[in-house]
Amino acid sequence: MPVTPQHDIQALVGGYHPDPFAVLGPHRDGGGWTVRAFLPGAMSVAVEPLSSDDAQTIPMRRVHADGLFVAWLPASADASDEADAPPDYRLHIDWPSARQITADPYAFGLLLGDLDLHLLQEGRHWHIGDCLGAHPMTVNHIDGVRFAVWAPNASRLSVVGDFNGWDGRRHAMRLRYGAGVWELFVPHLTADERYKFEVRAANGTVLPLKADPLARMTEVPPATASRVASDAPFVWHDDAWLAERARRVAPGAPVAIYEVHAGSWLPAQADGAPSSHWDALADRLIPYVHAMGFTHIEFLPVTEHPFAGSWGYQPLSLYAPTARFGDPAGLARLIDRAHCAGLGVILDWVPAHFPSDVHGLAHFDGTALYEHADPREGFHQDWKTSVYNLGRHEVVNFLIGSALDWLRRFHVDGLRVDAVASMLYRDYSRRPGEWVPNRYGGRENLEAIAFLQALSERVAEHAPGAALFAEESTAWPGVSAPVSQGGLGFDYKWNMGWMNDTLRYMGRDPVYRRHHHDDLTFGLVYAFSERFVLPLSHDEVVHGKGSLIGRMPGDDWQKHANLRAYLGFMWTHPGKKLLFMGGEFAQRAEWNHDVPLPWSQLDDPASRGVQRWVRDLNRSYRDRSALHRLDADASGFAWVIGNDRDNSVLAYLRFGASREGSPPDDVCLVVVNLTPIPRHDYRIGVPMRGGWREVLNSDATCYGGSGVGNGGGVTTQGISSHGHAESLNLTLPPLGCVVLAPER
């Protein structure tokens, strides 16, 4: 019987052997093979050679009390001396309460191919989710799960789970030098197995068990283990949608986004509702959003996150949808159903930072692997989180791979990239001395710029038709400009300046609005410098800010009238639209992620009126090209009255084609009166002679208004005004927004 060196035995038993494949499994030994198996807790083990039909099991000798077993197998009679393959065999293991027959994990050869490893080393593996992580597969005709994880500075790494009693000595992994990737095939495992990685740092310290950074499925929080996800392909029914989704999010398309927190949108469920939250959400959310006239649903991050109170903005598993709402297939079903109903799906995605929970990415292999080592770069002071080291190409690969995984695997139509401003500036929310300048001495984060540009290029290349939205709150130039022109390459940028200015204005008593008129008009100075989304997002209804309706001044009637007028201004202003759930029916309370939306509030006619107003705004926005086709083009907008600050009145024209010779269907006049005083005989010049129909009026009684308006329409008079030969003599409703269009 061959002798096993004592230092190998001690290293295996102690759980610190750097190369278990050098000892365990089959090894050529003279005229046969030495087979070693380390099985702590096993009572006895035998080897069954499979080389002939009459092969008998061969008992293995215990050479260490902790469970190291050894046997010698003779080579097959027809094998050459040196070139024969290792024997095929099974281990028969007697545990105290069961008998197991299994293939030996250490009898399998290298798993990842040279091309995979080469691309991983270069940081260009755009299918990294198919390479690393846990994947059910068949190797040498044996079903099992291949595990692979990047941890270049670990001295030993093993996969643990229910299948091995969470004993880190049982399934130590093989290091693929150069790439820093550890791999192991565990036979006979199936989908849904719980697992983590036990990592021993270079100094010998065993770290807290780590979840898989590329897990595609997790336990339900607060549990923190990863789960093996099924690799069975999902059957999609959305080919027609995918073929035209690029057109539906193009600059000239109507884009009205309904922002949703998946955990708190759903109303109370009746008995017999689907057990999967994703399916229950699809049953109620998709018909509702479709009926309301929105074009897209945007979910707050659904990537797995340990703390529900972060709403998903502190994720740890960038490849796994949260298990709170069901399995990954449930999310795929929801997206498929949305597409079949003509709705796009956008996900919020967070590449800026991650929480420092010990089971996550923080010091994953005992070093600052995913994050910066220097806290002046690697610690976010506002959120107490770790900042990704975007100067490391493996980290960039990990992040871009996540984005592509959502876009390809789940057919997601777009990603809204969170906290872009915090990525672009090295001194973001830092005082002097608390940040590290770039190599030129500046505050710009050159690595983040390169990452965002690479992200946009890879998305365009690998997920055609998908869009990228930037939540960027500064005046950084060219966010939505092409990378070829020095831009970041996003399709759209959130217009945070517009949102802040206009909400501040709307919160003022109308008596004082005349002194702050520029808050409404300033946005048009830069409205066409980027492709913008106008966002009234979740951030505006939390942290003591109150609800949208709660920020409006006046009595209850005035609050609702103010909100309707504001939404009318937003929907007719250049830029795509985004509204957070609850805003469409004037939710009174500040949003609380722990409870469903107060749907009973729709018993109030005022709330129903706002909801109907938003629905009709969406319908007009989609049906009238003047309200969307030239959203990102200055030729689609013209002031008629922008300086009537004393009356707090705005009037402007929207065009769907060239201003000269636009057909009636391609012109709209918008007039907004933001005082509670009706204004009669208010003259406004218009470019077309004839009848103008009042197509929208926020003060209509069906919306909860007072019914002041223009009787459905008005005809021009040959009185020149505002540079036009013809004009309209209008009645402006109090705290109202009216939209008029020329008669055909």
Side-chain angles (χ1 to χ4, degrees):
M1 182 67 65
V3 176
T4 305
Q6 280 299 312
H7 68 273
D8 282 328
I9 294 176
Q10 294 304 319
L12 289 170
V13 171
Y16 57 85
H17 201 293
D19 185 12
F21 278 84
V23 182
L24 301 178
H27 292 270
R28 200 74 162 96
D29 186 6
W33 297 83
T34 294
V35 176
R36 298 184 185 89
F38 183 53
L39 300 163
M43 298 174 62
S44 63
V45 184
V47 177
E48 178 190 3
L50 302 181
S51 56
S52 62
D53 294 336
D54 58 352
Q56 301 295 312
T57 58
I58 300 172
M60 300 185 75
R61 182 167 65 90
R62 184 189 295 268
V63 296
H64 192 279
D66 277 16
L68 181 62
F69 296 86
V70 180
W72 186 83
L73 303 181
S76 58
D78 57 350
S80 62
D81 290 341
E82 300 294 340
D84 57 324
D88 191 9
Y89 61 89
R90 298 292 181 268
L91 299 177
H92 292 236
I93 309 168
D94 289 315
W95 302 102
S97 58
R99 185 180 182 106
Q100 178 186 16
I101 300 176
T102 178
D104 185 353
Y106 297 97
F108 294 87
L110 303 177
L111 302 173
L112 295 175
D114 290 340
L115 179 58
D116 283 324
L117 297 176
H118 174 74
L119 293 174
L120 289 170
Q121 285 180 268
E122 289 195 341
R124 296 190 301 110
H125 201 307
W126 309 126
H127 290 81
I128 188 174
D130 297 330
C131 176
L132 302 183
H135 294 278
M137 60 179 53
T138 301
V139 179
N140 296 343
H141 308 291
I142 297 173
D143 294 334
V145 175
R146 185 196 69 197
F147 297 92
V149 61
W150 178 59
N153 303 303
S155 63
R156 192 270 292 152
L157 200 143
S158 60
V159 59
V160 296
D162 297 324
F163 53 90
N164 61 15
W166 300 87
D167 187 339
R169 301 174 300 170
R170 282 280 309 278
H171 288 94
M173 304 174 76
R174 168 194 275 133
L175 174 62
R176 303 298 298 273
Y177 291 93
V181 173
W182 300 76
E183 64 177 18
L184 186 70
F185 179 74
V186 181
H188 314 306
L189 289 191
T190 59
D192 208 42
E193 287 279 358
R194 298 193 308 153
Y195 72 98
K196 282 187 177 181
F197 294 116
E198 183 181 278
V199 183
R200 186 180 289 270
N203 64 5
T205 301
V206 176
L207 306 178
L209 295 181
K210 295 288 188 178
D212 184 355
L214 281 95
R216 286 178 163 173
M217 188 175 174
T218 70
E219 284 191 291
V220 179
T224 58
S226 304
R227 284 191 181 274
V228 178
S230 170
D231 273 6
F234 182 80
V235 179
W236 293 90
H237 309 87
D238 61 352
D239 288 350
W241 168 268
L242 294 179
E244 64 171 17
R245 67 176 180 177
R247 178 183 63 80
R248 293 176 180 255
V249 78
V255 178
I257 303 167
Y258 186 63
E259 189 187 31
V260 172
H261 177 258
S264 59
W265 184 89
L266 198 65
Q269 293 298 285
D271 293 340
S275 58
S276 165
H277 186 90
W278 291 126
D279 291 316
L281 194 61
D283 286 347
R284 305 287 291 274
L285 176 66
I286 291 172
Y288 177 78
V289 175
H290 185 271
M292 286 296 295
F294 289 94
T295 64
H296 291 74
I297 302 168
E298 178 175 325
F299 287 106
L300 274 60
V302 301
T303 41
E304 190 61 270
H305 47 284
F307 176 47
S310 76
W311 315 323
Y313 288 102
Q314 293 191 11
L316 271 182
S317 297
L318 281 189
Y319 288 73
T322 179
R324 292 170 174 86
F325 307 142
D327 63 13
L331 174 59
R333 288 192 297 272
L334 183 151
I335 295 172
D336 193 43
R337 291 174 63 180
H339 288 172
C340 292
L343 295 171
V345 177
I346 300 165
L347 298 185
D348 282 9
W349 182 68
V350 187
H353 63 121
F354 60 90
S356 57
D357 299 57
V358 296
H359 73 279
L361 301 177
H363 282 74
F364 186 82
D365 64 357
T367 67
L369 188 64
Y370 287 89
E371 69 272 41
H372 288 276
D374 189 334
R376 294 176 299 169
E377 298 180 280
F379 181 73
H380 200 293
Q381 298 181 350
D382 288 353
W383 304 316
K384 313 304 180 190
T385 51
S386 298
V387 178
Y388 285 105
N389 181 357
L390 298 176
R392 188 158 195 168
H393 60 256
E394 296 97 337
V395 175
V396 169
N397 195 166
F398 167 77
L399 292 171
I400 293 180
S402 165
L404 297 179
D405 206 57
W406 289 102
L407 297 173
R408 291 185 302 213
R409 187 161 59 100
F410 285 98
H411 290 200
V412 170
D413 302 294
L415 298 174
R416 177 267 201 181
V417 182
D418 182 62
V420 171
S422 75
M423 302 172 70
L424 291 174
Y425 299 95
R426 286 179 164 268
D427 63 345
Y428 183 89
S429 197
R430 296 180 188 272
R431 293 172 295 189
E434 295 179 343
W435 58 283
V436 179
N438 64 34
R439 60 180 177 269
Y440 302 112
R443 61 197 287 254
E444 300 81 9
N445 191 324
L446 304 180
E447 294 81 11
I449 295 168
F451 161 71
L452 294 171
Q453 290 176 328
L455 171 67
S456 67
E457 290 179 323
R458 298 292 82 74
V459 168
E461 178 184 357
H462 294 277
L468 290 176
F469 302 78
E471 188 220 11
E472 204 286 309
S473 55
T474 74
W476 186 279
V479 172
S480 60
V483 174
S484 61
Q485 298 176 14
L488 297 182
F490 283 89
D491 295 274
Y492 293 98
K493 171 182 173 175
W494 275 25
N495 195 336
M496 312 292 282
W498 176 91
M499 176 272 299
N500 285 316
D501 290 348
T502 57
L503 274 178
R504 183 172 60 248
Y505 176 94
M506 293 303 301
R508 300 185 189 278
D509 189 298
V511 171
Y512 304 112
R513 286 176 176 172
R514 68 180 66 187
H515 305 298
H516 304 278
H517 196 69
D518 293 345
D519 281 345
L520 283 190
T521 61
F522 180 66
L524 271 303
V525 173
Y526 60 87
F528 309 105
S529 62
E530 302 270 6
R531 293 188 296 273
F532 281 120
V533 171
L534 309 182
L536 292 179
S537 74
H538 64 280
D539 278 331
E540 313 321 315
V541 292
V542 291
H543 302 320
K545 296 176 184 176
S547 62
L548 289 180
I549 191 72
R551 296 167 76 160
M552 301 293 134
D555 59 25
D556 193 64
W557 187 92
Q558 290 178 332
K559 285 179 180 292
H560 284 84
N562 267 302
L563 181 58
R564 292 194 305 270
Y566 180 45
L567 293 173
F569 172 64
M570 172 181 172
W571 252 257
T572 58
H573 189 288
K576 308 310 179 187
K577 325 301 174 189
L578 180 141
L579 182 64
F580 184 59
M581 64 183 199
E584 81 278 12
F585 60 81
Q587 179 179 345
R588 294 178 181 274
E590 185 174 274
W591 172 58
N592 181 348
H593 71 275
D594 284 328
V595 297
L597 289 182
W599 293 101
S600 61
Q601 189 180 311
L602 285 170
D603 293 335
D604 178 4
S607 294
R608 290 200 307 273
V610 174
Q611 184 189 50
R612 183 172 181 176
W613 174 240
V614 172
R615 182 200 66 185
D616 289 353
L617 281 173
N618 273 329
R619 290 178 177 176
S620 288
Y621 172 63
R622 295 177 69 163
D623 293 344
R624 296 187 174 276
S625 62
L627 295 180
H628 64 255
R629 184 173 294 163
L630 296 179
D631 262 338
D633 190 326
S635 67
F637 177 90
W639 280 115
V640 180
I641 301 171
N643 58 357
D644 188 1
R645 61 179 62 245
D646 289 338
N647 292 313
S648 298
V649 170
L650 300 173
Y652 46 89
L653 291 162
R654 295 295 309 276
F655 302 92
S658 170
R659 297 181 194 177
E660 277 64 16
S662 291
D665 285 349
D666 277 344
V667 182
C668 284
L669 171 69
V670 183
V671 189
V672 187
N673 172 23
L674 292 170
T675 66
I677 301 170
R679 303 202 180 276
H680 301 281
D681 300 321
Y682 196 98
R683 187 163 298 279
I684 298 179
V686 291
M688 293 182 179
R689 181 181 180 180
W692 285 66
R693 186 162 56 94
E694 191 174 70
V695 296
L696 287 170
N697 182 344
S698 68
D699 196 48
T701 56
C702 62
Y703 305 129
S706 60
V708 174
N710 297 278
V714 64
T715 301
T716 60
Q717 299 172 344
I719 301 173
S720 63
S721 182
H722 304 109
H724 297 286
E726 298 283 325
S727 60
L728 299 173
N729 190 27
L730 296 178
T731 296
L732 307 186
L735 298 172
C737 171
V738 296
V739 179
L740 299 101
E743 296 283 0
R744 294 178 183 271

